[in-house]
Amino acid sequence: MIMSLPEEDLTCPVCCDIFTDPVLLSCSHSFCRTCLKRCWDTGIRECPVCRKKASKSNPLSNLALKNVCEAVVEAKRNSVVVLEQQMNCSLHGEKLKLFCVVDKWPICVVCQTSKLHKSHECSPVEEAALDCKDELSLCLRSLQDKLEKLKRIHRTSADMFMYIKNQATETQRLIKSQFEQLHKVLYEEESTRLAAVKKEEQGKIARMKDKFKELSAEVSSIAETIAVIQTELKEDDMVLLKNFKDTHDRSKSLTLGSDDMSGVLIDVTEHLCNLKYRIWEKMLEHIDYSPVTLDPNTAHPCLILSDDLTSLHYSKQPGCCPDNPERFHMSAEVVGMTSLGSGSHRWVVDTGSNQDWLLGVASTSVPRNAEVSARPENGFWTLRFRDGEFMAMTSPPSLLTVSRTPKQVKVQLDYNKGMVSFLDPADDTLIYTFEQTFTETLLPYFYTQSSHPLRIMPEKVLVTMLRQ
């Protein structure tokens, strides 16, 4: 509390030093007793500061100020002693003139000859101080860089939070959209099959009604004939004989309709046999399979991906996306989401009117925050099309001659054989093949600076029945 007082408040205006035996005048100014006496010995009894006349009586001692000043002087004296102690060796009392580089501690000349430091490298404290300052400066810059990086991450954390929420909302919307499409197909198929049952029901009922009418007519006709015969049998013999031919012919002319009732029931088997499988098989006509799906978390901000993540194109207006480590920041690149570490893989890319693209594969460890050439030594095996020319991105790049410019390119990877091939899928004409022994997993790689899209072609799903 005492050391917190400004020292100028404890300084005599005459000697400009801390008060010694301070006295207080009626004007409230304080002075050292000896300083005030020296001023008054000139014959003028007035305040040396405000020139106010002082009384002839001796000034009163300022005991409170005296106690504070003595405490301050004592504290300064103690601090000097502590400082002197800090400058001396605590073991030998000698001045600390050396610095042990091994133990990183100041020592005296006696310590240097002791067993504890005899074999250690030592340097003068002046040189050691410069070296330590340089080392601490490097640490300071490193910590300042880390602090700035953390501050930058902290500043973008709110944006990252909102981006994650927007990602989740958009992903849910796309999932609902695709399920709505599937639901629509199912509802249409359900309606079609229910309508087929209804139609068959109406047809079978109509057939049964016609059959019922036919049977009713036959029953009525036979009943009338029976009644006629019964009447004739009651007539006289002559009348019976005269009417016999007509009655007999009438009874013989009656023929029964068909009594075949097969096929009149609903064909339940036709409607229910393997129903779920047949519906699923029908749905395959509306479903495509993409061998490669783009990873939006790796896409450069200027790349626009389609909702189904199978096509990309370049936009001069960068999108709003976070600065995450997986993202390509220097060039308009994106990779597929599935790592390829063994076996054979192939996909076809429709290049269309795009005149500036690179296709191929890249190692998972390729730098995302630095611009490097897409060449094998950097972990890229790619084919480039620019200014109407095909180039295999070897070191240096190799100009390729093709008989025609394909609108589609097939990328074919055989990881185990170490081969990346590019073909024209129209007739499987080989454009170029890289041969390399791969040491890490690969990812499908895409680059473009064209507004015309690159589109990964879908593949049809083939259903095969496994019979045991």
Side-chain angles (χ1 to χ4, degrees):
M1 188 68 181
I2 293 173
M3 297 300 294
S4 65
L5 291 172
E7 192 166 315
E8 57 266 22
D9 293 343
L10 307 177
T11 302
C12 174
V14 176
C15 65
C16 297
D17 202 352
I18 295 177
F19 289 108
T20 302
D21 190 13
V23 293
L24 180 65
L25 299 183
S26 59
C27 61
S28 299
H29 289 123
S30 296
F31 304 92
C32 296
R33 185 179 295 277
T34 56
C35 292
L36 184 63
K37 182 178 181 300
R38 191 165 52 249
C39 291
W40 284 359
D41 284 346
T42 61
I44 302 174
R45 292 180 67 86
E46 63 182 10
C47 175
V49 174
C50 65
R51 303 302 179 184
K52 184 179 179 180
K53 294 292 184 180
S55 63
K56 292 182 179 182
S57 59
N58 291 328
L60 299 175
S61 295
N62 192 339
L63 296 178
L65 182 58
K66 179 181 179 181
N67 293 335
V68 171
C69 291
E70 289 177 348
V72 169
V73 170
E74 182 66 22
K76 291 181 70 174
R77 186 182 297 112
N78 292 336
S79 65
V80 170
V81 172
V82 171
L83 181 61
E84 289 178 353
Q85 291 176 348
Q86 289 178 347
M87 296 298 293
N88 295 330
C89 176
S90 60
L91 295 176
H92 308 106
E94 298 289 334
K95 190 173 182 179
L96 299 172
K97 295 183 177 181
L98 299 172
F99 183 78
C100 179
V101 178
V102 176
D103 293 330
K104 300 185 184 302
W105 192 259
I107 60 175
C108 69
V109 292
V110 179
C111 292
Q112 184 187 21
T113 59
S114 67
K115 291 182 179 180
L116 187 62
H117 298 282
K118 189 172 184 179
S119 60
H120 292 176
E121 180 184 354
C122 298
S123 62
V125 290
E126 295 81 4
E127 295 180 8
L130 293 176
D131 293 338
C132 290
K133 285 181 180 179
D134 291 340
E135 188 171 345
L136 288 177
S137 296
L138 290 175
C139 293
L140 177 62
R141 285 195 292 271
S142 176
L143 290 173
Q144 287 173 337
D145 291 341
K146 290 180 180 179
L147 178 61
E148 184 60 33
K149 185 176 181 180
L150 288 173
K151 286 181 178 179
R152 186 168 60 252
I153 294 173
H154 185 267
R155 285 193 300 268
T156 59
S157 60
D159 295 337
M160 185 78 77
F161 175 78
M162 290 304 301
Y163 188 82
I164 291 171
K165 291 186 70 68
N166 292 337
Q167 261 191 321
T169 301
E170 180 64 11
T171 303
Q172 290 172 340
R173 184 189 69 80
L174 293 174
I175 290 174
K176 289 181 180 180
S177 174
Q178 295 202 24
F179 268 96
E180 285 173 0
Q181 295 174 14
L182 295 176
H183 291 162
K184 183 180 179 182
V185 173
L186 283 172
Y187 290 147
E188 290 177 351
E189 187 65 20
E190 178 187 16
S191 299
T192 300
R193 292 183 178 274
L194 291 175
V197 175
K198 189 66 176 177
K199 182 178 180 181
E200 184 177 0
E201 176 194 14
Q202 293 173 346
K204 294 296 175 67
I205 289 178
R207 177 182 172 186
M208 287 303 300
K209 286 181 178 180
D210 293 340
K211 189 70 175 177
F212 185 77
K213 289 180 181 179
E214 180 183 337
L215 291 174
S216 297
E218 290 180 354
V219 168
S220 177
S221 177
I222 292 174
E224 290 179 1
T225 303
I226 291 173
V228 170
I229 293 175
Q230 288 176 341
T231 301
E232 289 296 324
L233 290 175
K234 294 178 182 179
E235 296 288 346
D236 292 338
D237 291 344
M238 185 55 66
V239 174
L240 183 145
L241 291 173
K242 287 182 178 182
N243 296 329
F244 174 75
K245 185 176 183 309
D246 294 335
T247 304
H248 183 269
D249 292 343
R250 180 174 180 176
S251 64
K252 292 297 184 181
S253 65
L254 293 175
T255 57
L256 295 177
S258 173
D259 59 355
D260 184 12
M261 301 294 286
S262 62
V264 297
L265 300 180
I266 299 294
D267 192 352
V268 177
T269 304
E270 174 65 24
H271 298 289
L272 296 181
C273 177
N274 292 319
L275 178 60
K276 293 180 181 179
Y277 172 80
R278 287 192 294 163
I279 293 173
W280 176 67
E281 194 175 39
K282 188 79 173 179
M283 289 185 68
L284 290 179
E285 300 175 5
H286 304 272
I287 298 174
D288 292 323
Y289 170 77
S290 178
V292 171
T293 302
L294 303 174
D295 185 353
N297 292 338
T298 68
H300 185 273
C302 287
L303 287 182
I304 308 299
L305 308 187
S306 61
D307 287 347
D308 60 359
L309 305 178
T310 61
S311 73
L312 65 147
H313 69 274
Y314 184 83
S315 172
K316 293 182 179 179
Q317 186 67 32
C320 180
C321 54
D323 187 17
N324 55 301
E326 302 88 354
R327 193 175 304 281
F328 288 94
H329 298 96
M330 304 302 294
S331 186
E333 304 163 279
V334 65
V335 292
M337 63 178 297
T338 303
S339 298
L340 312 174
S342 62
S344 297
H345 310 270
R346 61 182 58 85
W347 56 94
V348 176
V349 181
D350 185 358
T351 57
S353 302
N354 191 310
Q355 299 293 310
D356 185 4
W357 51 258
L358 277 85
L359 300 174
V361 295
S363 299
T364 53
S365 63
V366 294
R368 310 293 175 94
N369 206 21
E371 189 169 0
V372 296
S373 299
R375 300 182 185 179
E377 65 267 25
N378 297 324
F380 296 86
W381 294 268
T382 60
L383 178 71
R384 187 184 80 181
F385 182 70
R386 183 176 294 165
D387 299 328
E389 293 182 338
F390 281 94
M391 299 195 78
M393 296 304 290
T394 53
S395 297
S398 304
L399 181 63
L400 305 177
T401 301
V402 294
S403 58
R404 63 181 179 186
T405 301
K407 294 297 183 183
Q408 295 182 344
V409 174
K410 180 192 291 186
V411 184
Q412 191 165 291
L413 167 67
D414 192 322
Y415 188 94
N416 298 337
K417 292 183 179 180
M419 298 175 63
V420 181
S421 301
F422 301 90
L423 306 96
D424 181 350
D427 53 9
D428 272 351
T429 301
L430 180 64
I431 301 174
Y432 190 81
T433 296
F434 287 92
E435 294 187 3
Q436 178 80 36
T437 300
F438 302 117
T439 57
E440 60 178 289
T441 55
L442 306 176
L443 293 168
Y445 172 82
F446 304 83
Y447 162 93
T448 185
Q449 278 198 329
S450 171
S451 59
H452 297 284
L454 297 174
R455 187 166 68 94
I456 302 164
M457 298 300 293
E459 296 179 355
K460 287 295 182 182
V461 179
L462 177 64
V463 180
T464 302
M465 298 299 299
L466 180 62
R467 299 186 182 277
Q468 297 181 352

